[in-house]
Amino acid sequence: GRGEVAVRVQTERPRVSGYLSPEQIMRVVRQNSAAIRYCYESELQRQPNLHGRIEIGWRINREGRVTTSRVARSTMSNARGEGCIVRQVRNWRFDQPDGGEVDVVFPFIFGATGG
């Protein structure tokens, strides 16, 4: 059998253009980190050495809803995991931006140790 695996999901400061601060973006990402971790862990069971960096880009409209989300760049090359994250992000709700839409590119770094 396999031992316990420690899963790491790290983030770096997002690139944000528009009317929300990086801190406001980070708060929502942290609130939803379990869903992102789930996407990675479910693919890790199929591909035990899976790791890498995925940058997800999304747009937030004036109501604080995500209107589009996509993989901006990825070193993980795992379409199922990437698609899972893109779908999760689409359901997120942010503060209403003052003055217009917001574009975000957010890096997630995934890794696992042990096993």
Side-chain angles (χ1 to χ4, degrees):
R2 296 186 47 191
E4 282 296 301
V5 174
V7 172
R8 281 189 328 278
V9 178
Q10 297 171 286
T11 61
E12 293 176 357
R13 192 168 176 83
R15 294 196 302 281
V16 180
S17 57
Y19 297 89
L20 289 175
S21 70
E23 291 72 26
Q24 288 171 297
I25 303 296
M26 287 296 296
R27 186 169 60 237
V28 174
V29 171
R30 274 194 300 271
Q31 288 167 352
N32 291 281
S33 62
I36 298 298
R37 177 180 291 266
Y38 168 80
C39 290
Y40 175 61
E41 287 177 343
S42 54
E43 287 309 304
L44 194 60
Q45 291 171 7
R46 291 190 184 91
Q47 206 178 327
N49 296 324
L50 188 66
H51 66 279
R53 174 188 176 101
I54 301 177
E55 293 184 13
I56 303 292
W58 67 86
R59 173 166 282 171
I60 302 164
N61 69 11
R62 290 171 176 259
E63 286 77 51
R65 294 179 180 272
V66 175
T67 55
T68 61
S69 65
R70 62 185 170 74
V71 175
R73 188 163 47 216
S74 174
T75 64
M76 216 153 84
S77 304
N78 182 292
R80 236 190 327 240
E82 293 161 358
C84 177
I85 295 169
V86 165
R87 285 189 303 277
Q88 291 297 332
V89 169
R90 232 171 250 156
N91 296 319
W92 293 356
R93 297 292 174 263
F94 292 85
D95 296 336
Q96 291 186 2
D98 306 326
E101 295 191 329
V102 180
D103 287 308
V104 179
V105 176
F106 198 101
F108 295 95
I109 299 107
F110 297 95
T113 55

